[in-house]
Amino acid sequence: MPRPTIATSLSAKLLVLTILFVLLAEVLIYTPSIARFRMGYLEERLATAHIAALSVEAAPDLMVTKELQAKLLAYTGTHVIDLIQPGARVYMLSRPMPPQVDAVYDLRTTGMGMQIVDAGHALRLALEGAFGQPRDRVIRVIDRSPNDPAQRVEVTMDERPLIDAMVEFSRRILAVSVAISVIAALLVYLTLHALLVRPMRRLTAEVVAFRRDPDGAPPLVPGSRSDEIGVAERELAAMQGTVRAALRQRERLATLGTAVAKINHDLRGILSTASLLSERLTESADPEVRRVTPRLVASLDRAVELCGQTLSFTRDGVLPLSPAPVDLHRVAEEAGAEVLATVHPDGGRVEAEWINDIPAGTPAPVDAAQLGRALVNLGRNAVQAGAGRVRIAVETGVGPAGLLILTVADNGPGLAPRARENLFQPFAGSARAGGIGLGLAIAREVLRAHGGELRLVRSDAAGTVFALDIPQGNKETDPVDVAWHKSFVSH
């Protein structure tokens, strides 16, 4: 497995994302900050203008010379200053030809939202001036005097110095933001690299090594961390131990299965020979011998069946299917004939009724041999458990679209609690006395190989019902199923 490059590594992504998030936070902080800076600049101009206007009160006859007036206006950076006192007294400083006002801002009625809008408008003018012809506006600003709220100050001034100050403030904010972002990103990067990235790389390397060689990879030694990484290390170590044990168990079972498969053929031959020879005992003159001979033959037949089922189960693996359009009624009839030929453990033939309620001509794209095998196993379990009637039917309109449901119901005594607990476990339990627990396991494998499922619907004193879910596909949209259906109808 190739290692991630620097550009695609988790560390690089953490570094880039941290820088972006810090910059985003700085942008969110910058918006009200630039608005507040603009307000502070204007309030400073108003305070300075108030002080300059007070010089009129100190002048003889409330008149200042033109030279002093020009110096005061130049010092305050304004064209016109009006100071309105509570008694409606006005002190005024003005240039001989004041310029025309382009916009008026009354700070007394301006909230934070409008301040942000006005600041954004000023920065937009700055951008237009940077990429085109600059617009030098003249603005009139009105507010209560910062020095005495009882007095109102109105100034007419150029907006360009304000915009230049805002741009310089933005540059400083940008420089500070970038520095903070880089420092924060490096700190977060180093922290996360030590706490997360390096342990994740270690875990990843352990997983890759274990996948390549489960037996040869050294066992993971969990650390002492109590967080999620520590939990992951301990769970991975436990999983490795469980998987190694399962692999060793599988190897032993595979070896055992191979040995069973090798001796099974000879064992079946020996048992078949013994069965043929034991049938001659029925000609014995001893009545007791003739009485126990059927049981001996039945026991040998069950031993041969056991060998056959065991060999089949160990040899099957993934069931090879050959789906084709078949008549489910015919498959059920053939399975019923085989079930009714079943021999009881005492050597007698079964006395049961096989009721096939599947309508003749019911099509289904399945493997007839494998599905018949599943039906035989279910039916044989039922009659050998004491059922006198087995009914097989097809249900439509009860499951999801495209799902065919077969039901196998009997009137037997029901399943024992131990059989229910290990119903589909091979060799772990049987649904009938004397069984080996392979019939239901094989039947479920057949259904799962078809993409369906074998379910126990109910089991009580009135009998047992199994459901066989068989996916059929959508006949309107699935071209394969349409072809199978047409092929079945044509035949």
Side-chain angles (χ1 to χ4, degrees):
M1 179 180 294
R3 293 176 61 87
T5 61
I6 296 179
T8 60
S9 65
L10 183 60
S11 302
K13 294 178 181 178
L14 288 173
L15 182 62
V16 173
L17 288 176
T18 303
I19 293 176
L20 292 178
F21 290 155
V22 173
L23 287 177
L24 177 61
E26 292 291 341
V27 169
L28 297 177
I29 296 174
Y30 167 78
T31 303
S33 298
I34 191 65
R36 188 58 205 161
F37 174 82
R38 178 177 176 275
M39 285 293 296
Y41 182 93
L42 295 177
E43 289 173 353
E44 182 181 355
R45 282 287 182 270
L46 291 172
T48 306
H50 185 190
I51 296 174
L54 291 178
S55 62
V56 178
E57 186 177 11
D61 300 327
L62 301 179
M63 296 291 294
V64 297
T65 63
K66 293 183 178 180
E67 292 78 6
L68 179 59
Q69 185 172 235
K71 289 181 179 180
L72 291 174
L73 292 174
Y75 172 75
T76 58
T78 59
H79 297 288
V80 178
I81 299 176
D82 292 331
L83 177 61
I84 298 92
Q85 295 184 338
R89 194 170 185 179
V90 179
Y91 296 143
M92 179 178 180
L93 296 174
S94 175
R95 295 185 185 275
M97 294 293 294
Q100 182 179 357
V101 175
D102 297 311
V104 178
Y105 296 102
D106 191 345
L107 305 185
R108 296 172 298 175
T109 59
T110 303
M112 177 56 69
M114 186 56 64
Q115 293 176 19
I116 293 175
V117 172
D118 294 339
H121 182 66
L123 291 177
R124 182 173 63 83
L125 294 177
L127 291 176
E128 292 177 357
F131 296 99
Q133 185 67 26
R135 293 178 56 190
D136 295 330
R137 299 196 312 168
V138 176
I139 61 175
R140 186 173 183 82
V141 183
I142 306 171
D143 196 6
R144 297 181 181 86
S145 173
N147 301 320
D148 186 358
Q151 303 184 32
R152 185 174 83 246
V153 182
E154 299 180 6
V155 298
T156 301
M157 55 180 286
D158 292 329
E159 192 179 23
R160 174 55 53 184
L162 170 61
I163 294 177
D164 293 340
M166 292 174 64
V167 171
E168 183 61 27
F169 175 79
S170 301
R171 289 174 180 171
R172 294 196 302 269
I173 288 292
L174 177 61
V176 173
S177 300
V178 172
I180 293 176
S181 300
V182 173
I183 294 174
L186 288 176
L187 292 176
V188 172
Y189 166 78
L190 294 175
T191 302
L192 293 180
H193 186 79
L195 293 178
L196 294 178
V197 177
R198 290 178 59 187
M200 286 300 298
R201 286 180 178 175
R202 178 169 172 256
L203 288 176
T204 303
E206 291 286 347
V207 171
V208 172
F210 184 76
R211 180 185 63 84
R212 291 175 177 174
D213 187 6
D215 292 326
L220 173 64
V221 179
S224 58
R225 296 177 57 165
S226 59
D227 55 8
E228 289 80 358
I229 295 295
V231 173
E233 290 178 346
R234 289 188 290 274
E235 291 297 326
L236 178 59
M239 184 197 69
Q240 287 181 348
T242 303
V243 171
R244 286 191 175 98
L247 290 176
R248 287 192 292 267
Q249 181 69 12
R250 188 182 68 174
E251 290 178 358
R252 289 194 292 268
L253 291 176
T255 303
L256 178 60
T258 302
V260 170
K262 289 180 179 179
I263 68 174
N264 206 12
H265 177 73
D266 294 337
L267 182 59
R268 290 184 64 188
I270 295 172
L271 292 174
S272 298
T273 302
S275 178
L276 292 175
L277 293 176
S278 62
E279 289 181 356
R280 299 184 60 183
L281 295 177
T282 57
E283 303 174 359
S284 174
D286 189 344
E288 183 65 20
V289 173
R290 289 198 304 268
R291 187 180 66 82
V292 300
T293 295
R295 292 187 179 181
L296 175 61
V297 174
S299 298
L300 291 174
D301 289 341
R302 284 194 292 117
V304 173
E305 178 188 358
L306 170 61
C307 292
Q309 288 186 354
T310 304
L311 178 62
S312 176
F313 183 78
T314 56
R315 181 181 55 201
D316 279 345
V318 179
L319 292 178
L321 297 183
S322 299
V326 299
D327 182 359
L328 288 180
H329 179 83
R330 181 177 58 83
V331 174
E333 281 295 318
E334 294 176 355
E338 188 172 347
V339 169
L340 296 180
T342 303
V343 179
H344 275 304
D346 59 1
R349 295 293 177 178
V350 299
E351 297 293 338
E353 183 183 8
W354 180 270
I355 303 175
N356 184 4
D357 284 342
I358 300 177
T362 302
V366 297
D367 188 313
Q370 295 291 356
L371 182 61
R373 180 185 181 189
L375 294 177
V376 169
N377 286 347
L378 293 172
R380 185 171 291 168
N381 281 351
V383 298
Q384 289 186 343
R389 183 181 67 252
V390 180
R391 183 186 300 273
I392 180 170
V394 59
E395 296 184 7
T396 58
V398 296
L403 186 65
L404 183 94
I405 302 179
L406 299 181
T407 58
V408 179
D410 64 68
N411 63 346
L415 298 173
R418 179 177 178 275
R420 295 184 190 181
E421 295 174 0
N422 304 286
L423 194 58
F424 300 111
Q425 297 297 322
F427 306 104
S430 174
R432 58 183 174 86
I436 60 174
L438 281 178
L440 292 179
I442 293 175
R444 186 178 66 168
E445 287 191 359
V446 170
L447 268 297
R448 289 186 172 180
H450 282 84
E453 186 59 82
L454 175 63
R455 297 180 288 111
L456 174 64
V457 178
R458 65 174 178 83
S459 181
D460 49 32
T464 302
V465 179
F466 283 96
L468 292 76
D469 300 335
I470 305 175
Q472 298 298 290
N474 191 328
K475 294 295 184 287
E476 296 180 358
T477 58
D478 193 335
V480 177
D481 286 344
V482 171
W484 281 355
H485 184 68
K486 290 182 177 179
S487 174
F488 178 81
V489 174
S490 64
H491 286 82

